[in-house]
Amino acid sequence: MLSESTVPRAVLVCASISVSILLLYGASGSPSFLSSGYSFNFLPFLLGGSSDSEFSIRAILRRFFYSMVHAHCFALVTRGLDFRHEAYFMTDVYLEMMWRRIDFLRSLLELGYNFVFTDADIMWFRDPFPRFFLDADFQIACDQFSGNSSDVQNRPNGGFNYVKSSSRSIEFYKFWYSSRETYPGYNEQDVLNFIKFDPLVERLGLKMRFLDTAFFGGLCEPSKDLNLVCTMHANCCFGLDNKLHDLRIMLQDWKTFFYLCHRP
């Protein structure tokens, strides 16, 4: 559970673009938001609302500090595309959805918000903040982790990341988004694996760190110790039905572990 001393000025926002969740942090002067439950108690909001200026992202983020209700959710719309159904991996709709997400996250950084981004197929078991690096601008979970958090040979997964707003991170997201033209037909995760070696990233001074799968695991490289794991991702798993099946298994394993640890 988040403590006020650990994570000040937080607000929770859901992004309908891939039914994902954003945990956002105001740069200054914002009221605190604390989650409840033995881990994080995220409310399952689906985004709705209006595209009118009354529901601009800036206004919604400001109002959300005071009331987590449906009217303060933000409808992230991509004109000409229908996201009401499953967007299958690497289809045109899927690619547009992923790139729209990157551009949206860039806009949040420009508004001065830090954020934790998490896909909906990630289970949260513990507060992840003690496992984050204090000095990093951009830190991201991995499909495969080499054992070194600074090693660019790690294979990152865009479904979970913690990003701090700065000129470095903003320029990095702009570079990431513009690189879709350099690598047409690739998704944002593949492009990240290309550009993480680019000299521009070093020139920006971006401090990039990769999160250990012991704490932020997934089906590609599962966490081995339930005493350590913070999140588990249904990655390396294709299709909504398959993901739901695997997520139910994860949840049952956690329930069994939790019961054994806390039984009288």
Side-chain angles (χ1 to χ4, degrees):
M1 184 166 67
L2 288 178
S3 67
E4 188 167 2
S5 61
T6 304
V7 189
R9 301 180 299 276
V11 63
L12 186 66
V13 178
C14 302
S16 67
I17 192 164
S18 58
V19 198
S20 302
I21 298 169
L22 286 170
L23 188 63
L24 293 156
Y25 303 90
S28 63
S30 302
S32 299
F33 165 76
L34 302 179
S35 66
S36 60
Y38 62 83
S39 59
F40 287 89
N41 182 20
F42 289 127
L43 301 183
F45 286 142
L46 292 179
L47 299 190
S50 166
S51 59
D52 295 338
S53 59
E54 178 185 359
F55 292 97
S56 70
I57 186 64
R58 187 187 298 274
I60 289 167
L61 290 175
R62 185 175 62 251
R63 295 173 187 178
F64 208 87
F65 285 116
Y66 299 97
S67 177
M68 283 194 4
V69 296
H70 180 78
H72 298 321
C73 292
F74 178 69
L76 185 59
V77 176
T78 302
R79 296 188 183 280
L81 293 178
D82 184 355
F83 291 129
R84 288 177 296 179
H85 307 288
E86 182 177 1
Y88 291 99
F89 184 65
M90 294 307 291
T91 60
D92 290 344
V93 173
Y94 172 88
L95 290 173
E96 190 59 37
M97 179 175 69
M98 294 297 101
W99 285 112
R100 181 70 179 93
R101 185 173 84 182
I102 294 298
D103 195 40
F104 175 70
L105 295 176
R106 183 267 313 154
S107 70
L108 295 178
L109 293 172
E110 289 185 333
L111 288 173
Y113 286 92
N114 306 336
F115 63 77
V116 173
F117 180 88
T118 176
D119 273 350
D121 61 345
I122 295 178
M123 284 199 167
W124 288 49
F125 300 122
R126 290 186 175 88
D127 176 1
F129 283 86
R131 301 297 182 182
F132 289 149
F133 298 94
L134 296 177
D135 63 342
D137 299 303
F138 175 88
Q139 44 198 304
I140 187 167
C142 297
D143 286 338
Q144 284 89 35
F145 181 69
S146 70
N148 181 347
S149 64
S150 299
D151 183 4
V152 291
Q153 298 293 342
N154 285 303
R155 300 289 296 180
N157 186 297
F160 184 89
N161 49 74
Y162 174 35
V163 188
K164 295 179 181 178
S165 177
S166 68
S167 59
R168 298 180 297 276
S169 60
I170 292 168
E171 291 305 313
F172 173 70
Y173 266 77
K174 288 179 179 178
F175 175 53
W176 190 358
Y177 184 76
S178 67
S179 295
R180 69 183 298 194
E181 304 298 331
T182 308
Y183 304 98
Y186 287 92
N187 65 20
E188 90 298 349
Q189 187 168 300
D190 290 332
V191 171
L192 176 59
N193 273 308
F194 296 139
I195 67 171
K196 66 186 181 182
F197 299 103
D198 196 286
L200 177 62
V201 176
E202 185 175 353
R203 291 200 301 271
L204 288 174
L206 184 84
K207 295 179 181 177
M208 183 184 298
R209 300 294 290 269
F210 300 92
L211 299 171
D212 192 335
T213 51
F215 309 115
F216 303 93
L219 298 181
C220 299
E221 195 169 281
S223 302
K224 301 271 194 266
D225 190 346
L226 286 174
N227 290 291
L228 299 177
V229 63
C230 296
T231 66
M232 279 286 289
H233 190 180
N235 51 9
C236 293
C237 176
F238 302 99
L240 183 59
D241 290 339
N242 291 331
K243 285 182 178 289
L244 288 172
H245 174 266
D246 291 338
L247 288 167
R248 290 188 184 105
I249 293 174
M250 288 183 201
L251 183 58
Q252 186 56 52
D253 287 345
W254 175 257
K255 286 180 176 179
T256 301
F257 168 78
F258 197 78
Y259 168 74
L260 292 174
C261 289
H262 295 86
R263 65 181 178 179

